[in-house]
């Protein structure tokens, strides 16, 4: 059974996500050489089974960039990029989407965005955590999300879903962030924020 969180606790998590996303946006902006605006419309803590559904319809193909999180808080960060947005970002880096280096370029975008996000969460909460190198795959959304979440079935029972929309100057690109802390991770973040 997933723990229930109060509106106040969810607001605190949303604020964490907001600041983390802002830092991630700044990093991406430097990489692409364009201004980037990241909004955090949503933060929800869901049972793992619901989290799979919440990321969207299972069939569409999507590029997933997965970073592990190690340290005091362990877990996974999953960045989801729809194909047309992945193509847009590749072109900004001077690559065609079918170029052999396109996936590794997207992995690098995910690495920079995900790492700056995790580092900011760590700085704000005092919880020691750091990212592991990214893995990138293009598959059906359901398959990617289930693969990532399957590794957590034994540990945490709740996924912290932070859906961020990333707007690149003049382009409408979206990246969704899904943070899946292992058992006790959400509680640890709340505790460090004095919101336990």
């Amino acid at each position: 059974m997933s723990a229930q969180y109060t509106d106040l606790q969810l607001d605190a998590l949303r604020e964490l996500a907001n600041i983390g996303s802002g830092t991630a946006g700044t990093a991406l902006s430097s990489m692409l050489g364009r201004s980037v605006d990241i909004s955090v419309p949503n933060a929800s803590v869901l049972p793992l089974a619901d989290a799979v559904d919440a990321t969207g319809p299972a069939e569409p193909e999507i590029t997933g960039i997965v970073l592990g999180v190690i340290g005091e808080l362990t877990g996974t960060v999953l960045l989801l990029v729809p194909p047309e947005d992945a193509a847009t970002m590749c072109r900004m880096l001077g690559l065609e989407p079918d170029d052999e280096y396109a996936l590794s370029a997207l992995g690098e975008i995910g690495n920079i965005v995900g790492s700056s996000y995790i580092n900011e969460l760590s700085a704000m909460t005092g919880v020691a955590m750091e990212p592991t190198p990214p893995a990138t795959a293009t598959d059906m959304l359901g398959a990617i999300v289930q693969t990532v979440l399957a590794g957590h079935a034994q540990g945490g029972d709740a996924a912290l879903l932070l859906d961020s929309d990333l707007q690149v100057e003049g382009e409408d690109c979206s990246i969704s962030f899904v943070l899946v802390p292992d058992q006790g991770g959400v509680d640890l973040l709340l505790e460090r924020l004095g919101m336990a």
Side-chain angles (χ1 to χ4, degrees), residues 84 86-97:
E84 58 279 13
T88 300
M89 282 189 255
C90 284
R91 289 194 183 101
M92 283 183 217
L93 294 169
L95 294 169
E96 279 309 305

Side-chain angles (χ1 to χ4, degrees), residues 117-127 129:
Y117 188 88
I118 292 163
N119 294 339
E120 184 64 27
L121 286 189
S122 178
M124 284 188 296
T125 58
V127 174
M129 55 179 130

Side-chain angles (χ1 to χ4, degrees), residues 41-168:
N42 225 332
S44 47
V45 177
L46 299 169
L48 285 183
D50 299 345
V52 175
D53 297 336
T55 51
E59 294 75 36
E61 192 173 88
I62 200 151
T63 297
I65 303 149
V66 183
L67 289 87
V69 182
I70 55 174
E72 254 184 294
L73 183 147
T74 58
T76 305
V77 170
L78 176 62
L79 296 107
L80 299 167
V81 189
E84 58 279 13
D85 298 355
T88 300
M89 282 189 255
C90 284
R91 289 194 183 101
M92 283 183 217
L93 294 169
L95 294 169
E96 279 309 305
D98 55 1
D99 187 291
E100 58 178 316
Y101 299 113
L103 259 189
S104 78
L106 286 171
E108 196 43 40
I109 287 177
N111 190 23
I112 287 171
V113 172
S115 297
S116 46
Y117 188 88
I118 292 163
N119 294 339
E120 184 64 27
L121 286 189
S122 178
M124 284 188 296
T125 58
V127 174
M129 55 179 130
E130 57 182 270
T132 62
T136 310
T138 300
D139 200 341
M140 289 195 311
L141 175 62
I144 289 181
V145 175
Q146 272 177 316
T147 303
V148 168
L149 297 183
H152 295 272
Q154 303 308 312
D157 62 347
L160 174 56
L161 238 60
L162 303 167
D163 277 327
S164 304
D165 286 324
L166 173 157
Q167 180 102 30
V168 179

